[in-house]
């Protein structure tokens, strides 16, 4: 059975001290009022080693926002998947639209990152999604298909089954403009059908597909109620415990 997940992506926010305070406050809130879904916080690299020991592992998992496409060596400034794993982190966001758009991450580079993450026991949260012009031209299915094909179709079904997907329409990220529940369900169902065709129905049924893009406490319940939306990847609202917990609580009756 696939899992319901609410994952926070802190992006490039919070100093180390602020990040520790945020993780501590979230941990307190969720230990006293336990979530009904898996909760993950993805933090900047430098926070990982400090945040993993202060959260209750049974309630909050920790992830990175990226990792290198090389295993080790002379790659100044890069952080490898094995380094991420050595902090106690269990997840890594890969293919975020900001990495694709601002740092030139191609499907081929992302393929390497996925393989290294899996080889080091990390679960990739692999992001896909179209820009506004592509949505307006009705090309969103084609775009997500190509993103999946370019980085993930080469995996075995066993390896693919270890991946979490996040559909994040770029036009909804940080814009306050959310996909409607119908738009989200439609493309999530399409993504699941692509997985079923490539890796089989059982793998598709067990893949968690998260929605991301201006997800808030006020719209999370409606989005997550869709049969093919298994939770969210949360940016801005993950920086406030009240907002993040409000989204997590969307999985409560
Ligand atoms: P916002 O929730 O701020 O729109 O960001 C979504 C996102 O990019 C998460 O990865």
């Amino acid at each position: 059975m696939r899992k319901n997940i609410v994952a926070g992506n802190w992006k490039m926010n919070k100093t180390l001290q602020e990040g520790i305070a945020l993780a501590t406050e979230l941990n307190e809130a969720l230990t006293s009022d336990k979530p009904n879904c898996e909760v993950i916080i993805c933090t900047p690299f430098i926070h990982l080693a400090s945040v993993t020991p202060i959260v209750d592992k049974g309630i909050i998992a920790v992830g990175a926002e990226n990792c290198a496409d090389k295993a080790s060596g002379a790659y100044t400034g890069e952080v490898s998947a094995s380094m991420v794993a050595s902090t106690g982190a269990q997840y890594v966001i890969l293919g975020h639209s900001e990495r694709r758009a601002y740092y030139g991450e191609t499907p081929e580079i992302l393929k390497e990152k996925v393989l290294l993450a899996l080889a080091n026991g990390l679960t990739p949260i692999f992001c896909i999604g179209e820009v506004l012009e592509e949505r307006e031209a009705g090309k969103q299915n084609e775009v997500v298909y190509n993103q999946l094909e370019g980085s993930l179709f080469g995996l075995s079904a066993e390896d693919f089954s270890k991946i979490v997907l996040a559909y994040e329409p770029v036009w909804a990220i940080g814009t306050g403009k959310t996909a409607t529940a119908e738009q989200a369900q439609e493309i999530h169902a399409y993504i699941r059908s692509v997985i079923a065709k490539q890796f089989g129905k059982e793998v598709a049924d067990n893949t968690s597909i998260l929605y991301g893009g201006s997800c808030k406490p006020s719209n999370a319940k409606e989005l997550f109620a869709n049969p093919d939306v298994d939770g969210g990847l949360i940016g801005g609202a993950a920086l406030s415990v009240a907002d993040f917990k409000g989204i997590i609580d969307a999985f409560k009756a």
Side-chain angles (χ1 to χ4, degrees), residues 61-134:
V62 176
E65 300 173 15
N66 182 27
C67 72
D69 61 337
K70 302 285 192 300
S72 68
Y75 301 102
T76 302
E78 289 294 294
V79 176
S80 71
S82 72
M83 292 174 188
V84 169
S86 73
T87 67
Q90 296 169 278
Y91 289 84
V92 59
I93 296 172
L94 292 175
H96 193 281
S97 62
E98 289 149 17
R99 301 290 322 167
R100 293 179 192 261
Y102 308 146
Y103 300 96
E105 296 198 358
T106 61
E108 295 72 32
I109 291 172
L110 292 170
K111 191 173 167 180
E112 296 306 314
K113 294 190 178 201
V114 167
L115 290 172
L116 284 162
L118 290 171
N120 285 283
L122 296 171
T123 299
I125 301 174
F126 191 82
C127 304
I128 56 177
E130 80 287 354
V131 299
L132 186 60
E133 303 80 78
E134 292 163 338

Side-chain angles (χ1 to χ4, degrees), residues 9 11 96 98 168 172-175 212-215 233-237:
N9 173 9
K11 307 195 179 183
H96 193 281
E98 289 149 17
E168 299 204 306
I173 296 177
T175 58
S214 298
C215 193
L233 181 56
I234 318 301

Side-chain angles (χ1 to χ4, degrees), residues 8-23 41-48 51 63 65 93 96 98-99 102-103 173-174 234-240:
N9 173 9
W10 290 6
K11 307 195 179 183
M12 196 175 74
N13 292 294
K14 304 288 177 190
T15 63
L16 178 59
Q17 292 74 21
E18 289 165 350
I20 289 171
L22 177 59
I41 49 176
C42 297
T43 81
F45 291 130
I46 64 141
H47 297 59
L48 294 173
V51 163
E65 300 173 15
I93 296 172
H96 193 281
E98 289 149 17
R99 301 290 322 167
Y102 308 146
Y103 300 96
I173 296 177
I234 318 301
L239 299 174
S240 139

